[in-house]
Amino acid sequence: MSTATTDPSAELAELGKFFTIAARRFDAGGAAPEMFSAAIDTAWHALAADPAAHEAFALQHVGRRLTHVESKGFGTITWVAAYEEAYGALPEIWFTDADGVVNTEALTQYRETGTVVAEWNCGPKPDPGDGDDLTPAASYL
Protein backbone atom coordinates (compact mmCIF):
# COMPACT_ATOMS: atom_id res chain seq x y z
CA MET A 1 0.00 0.00 0.00
CA SER A 2 1.19 3.51 -0.71
CA THR A 3 0.02 6.92 0.32
CA ALA A 4 -1.38 9.16 -2.38
CA THR A 5 -1.42 12.91 -2.25
CA THR A 6 -4.87 13.92 -3.28
CA ASP A 7 -6.62 17.16 -3.87
CA PRO A 8 -10.29 17.19 -2.78
CA SER A 9 -11.19 18.49 -6.22
CA ALA A 10 -9.95 15.17 -7.67
CA GLU A 11 -12.48 13.31 -5.53
CA LEU A 12 -15.27 15.66 -6.56
CA ALA A 13 -14.32 15.41 -10.24
CA GLU A 14 -14.58 11.62 -9.98
CA LEU A 15 -17.84 11.89 -8.03
CA GLY A 16 -19.26 13.94 -10.89
CA LYS A 17 -18.26 11.22 -13.35
CA PHE A 18 -19.76 8.59 -11.04
CA PHE A 19 -23.04 10.55 -10.93
CA THR A 20 -23.06 10.65 -14.74
CA ILE A 21 -22.56 6.87 -14.90
CA ALA A 22 -25.35 6.45 -12.33
CA ALA A 23 -27.78 8.60 -14.30
CA ARG A 24 -27.06 6.67 -17.49
CA ARG A 25 -27.69 3.39 -15.68
CA PHE A 26 -30.93 4.67 -14.18
CA ASP A 27 -32.09 5.91 -17.59
CA ALA A 28 -31.42 2.45 -19.03
CA GLY A 29 -33.38 0.77 -16.21
CA GLY A 30 -30.22 -0.51 -14.54
CA ALA A 31 -29.21 -0.79 -10.92
CA ALA A 32 -27.28 1.84 -9.03
CA PRO A 33 -23.51 1.71 -9.44
CA GLU A 34 -21.48 0.61 -6.45
CA MET A 35 -19.41 3.26 -4.63
CA PHE A 36 -16.24 1.37 -3.73
CA SER A 37 -13.79 4.23 -3.14
CA ALA A 38 -13.58 5.41 0.46
CA ALA A 39 -11.78 8.58 -0.67
CA ILE A 40 -14.51 9.56 -3.11
CA ASP A 41 -17.28 8.49 -0.73
CA THR A 42 -15.76 10.66 2.01
CA ALA A 43 -15.94 13.64 -0.35
CA TRP A 44 -19.54 12.68 -1.17
CA HIS A 45 -20.44 12.60 2.55
CA ALA A 46 -18.90 16.04 3.02
CA LEU A 47 -20.88 17.35 0.05
CA ALA A 48 -24.10 15.69 1.27
CA ALA A 49 -23.72 17.50 4.61
CA ASP A 50 -24.76 20.64 2.70
CA PRO A 51 -28.01 19.65 0.94
CA ALA A 52 -28.09 22.75 -1.27
CA ALA A 53 -24.50 22.20 -2.43
CA HIS A 54 -25.19 18.49 -3.00
CA GLU A 55 -28.27 19.27 -5.08
CA ALA A 56 -26.40 21.90 -7.10
CA PHE A 57 -23.55 19.44 -7.72
CA ALA A 58 -25.94 16.73 -8.92
CA LEU A 59 -27.86 19.15 -11.10
CA GLN A 60 -24.60 20.40 -12.63
CA HIS A 61 -23.39 16.89 -13.44
CA VAL A 62 -26.58 15.04 -14.37
CA GLY A 63 -29.45 17.50 -14.43
CA ARG A 64 -31.28 15.83 -11.55
CA ARG A 65 -31.11 15.25 -7.84
CA LEU A 66 -29.51 12.08 -6.53
CA THR A 67 -29.43 10.87 -2.95
CA HIS A 68 -26.81 8.90 -1.04
CA VAL A 69 -28.15 5.56 0.25
CA GLU A 70 -26.75 2.61 2.16
CA SER A 71 -26.10 -0.31 -0.15
CA LYS A 72 -23.66 -2.88 1.21
CA GLY A 73 -22.07 -5.57 -0.87
CA PHE A 74 -18.98 -7.24 -2.19
CA GLY A 75 -18.16 -8.41 -5.68
CA THR A 76 -17.29 -7.26 -9.16
CA ILE A 77 -17.91 -3.56 -9.72
CA THR A 78 -20.40 -3.56 -12.58
CA TRP A 79 -19.90 -0.10 -14.05
CA VAL A 80 -16.16 -0.11 -14.81
CA ALA A 81 -16.57 -0.72 -18.55
CA ALA A 82 -19.05 2.18 -18.84
CA TYR A 83 -16.59 4.45 -17.02
CA GLU A 84 -13.70 3.38 -19.25
CA GLU A 85 -15.76 3.97 -22.38
CA ALA A 86 -16.62 7.48 -21.25
CA TYR A 87 -13.44 8.59 -19.43
CA GLY A 88 -10.64 6.05 -19.86
CA ALA A 89 -9.03 3.94 -17.16
CA LEU A 90 -10.00 4.42 -13.54
CA PRO A 91 -7.47 6.70 -11.83
CA GLU A 92 -5.67 5.78 -8.62
CA ILE A 93 -8.11 7.81 -6.49
CA TRP A 94 -10.70 5.05 -6.95
CA PHE A 95 -8.38 2.70 -5.04
CA THR A 96 -7.63 5.14 -2.23
CA ASP A 97 -9.00 5.00 1.30
CA ALA A 98 -10.23 7.94 3.35
CA ASP A 99 -6.73 8.46 4.79
CA GLY A 100 -5.10 8.72 1.36
CA VAL A 101 -3.62 5.21 1.33
CA VAL A 102 -3.76 3.50 -2.06
CA ASN A 103 -4.67 -0.18 -2.17
CA THR A 104 -1.89 -1.06 -4.59
CA GLU A 105 -2.94 -4.71 -4.76
CA ALA A 106 -6.44 -3.81 -5.97
CA LEU A 107 -5.06 -1.16 -8.32
CA THR A 108 -2.59 -3.63 -9.82
CA GLN A 109 -5.32 -6.26 -10.22
CA TYR A 110 -7.47 -3.71 -12.05
CA ARG A 111 -4.61 -2.62 -14.31
CA GLU A 112 -3.78 -6.24 -15.16
CA THR A 113 -7.32 -7.59 -15.59
CA GLY A 114 -9.61 -4.60 -16.18
CA THR A 115 -11.78 -5.91 -13.36
CA VAL A 116 -12.44 -4.40 -9.94
CA VAL A 117 -13.54 -6.64 -7.12
CA ALA A 118 -14.32 -4.66 -3.99
CA GLU A 119 -16.60 -4.01 -1.06
CA TRP A 120 -19.02 -1.09 -1.05
CA ASN A 121 -21.26 0.53 1.54
CA CYS A 122 -23.39 2.91 -0.47
CA GLY A 123 -24.56 4.13 -3.81
CA PRO A 124 -26.73 6.77 -5.47
CA LYS A 125 -30.47 6.71 -5.86
CA PRO A 126 -32.70 9.06 -7.83
CA ASP A 127 -34.42 11.52 -5.53
CA PRO A 128 -38.02 10.29 -5.14
CA GLY A 129 -39.34 13.82 -5.53
CA ASP A 130 -37.47 14.26 -8.77
CA GLY A 131 -40.03 12.82 -11.16
CA ASP A 132 -41.04 15.68 -13.39
CA ASP A 133 -37.81 17.62 -13.72
CA LEU A 134 -35.54 14.96 -15.13
CA THR A 135 -33.31 16.04 -17.94
CA PRO A 136 -33.57 13.78 -20.98
CA ALA A 137 -30.63 11.40 -21.32
CA ALA A 138 -29.44 13.00 -24.56
CA SER A 139 -28.70 16.29 -22.80
CA TYR A 140 -25.77 14.95 -20.81
CA LEU A 141 -24.47 11.98 -22.78
Side-chain angles (χ1 to χ4, degrees):
M1 305 256 175
S2 68
T3 301
T5 55
T6 60
D7 173 356
S9 63
E11 287 91 341
L12 290 177
E14 290 302 310
L15 182 61
K17 293 173 185 177
F18 180 74
F19 277 15
T20 300
I21 296 296
R24 290 175 182 173
R25 288 177 65 122
F26 296 144
D27 288 347
E34 310 87 357
M35 172 50 75
F36 72 91
S37 170
I40 296 169
D41 189 42
T42 297
W44 190 2
H45 280 258
L47 183 63
D50 180 345
H54 186 269
E55 180 176 353
F57 183 86
L59 290 172
Q60 173 190 353
H61 288 278
V62 296
R64 68 184 82 182
R65 294 183 300 262
L66 296 174
T67 59
H68 182 277
V69 295
E70 295 287 322
S71 174
K72 296 182 185 284
F74 177 85
T76 301
I77 302 303
T78 60
W79 52 269
V80 172
Y83 180 100
E84 291 172 335
E85 184 177 313
Y87 307 110
L90 290 170
E92 188 176 90
I93 192 67
W94 279 102
F95 301 91
T96 304
D97 71 14
D99 295 321
V101 177
V102 177
N103 182 335
T104 54
E105 183 179 331
L107 178 59
T108 299
Q109 178 185 353
Y110 164 66
R111 288 180 175 163
E112 291 176 354
T113 67
T115 301
V116 177
V117 177
E119 181 177 356
W120 61 89
N121 295 317
C122 62
K125 179 177 142 183
D127 188 301
D130 199 30
D132 62 356
D133 59 351
L134 293 179
T135 302
S139 69
Y140 58 85
L141 290 178

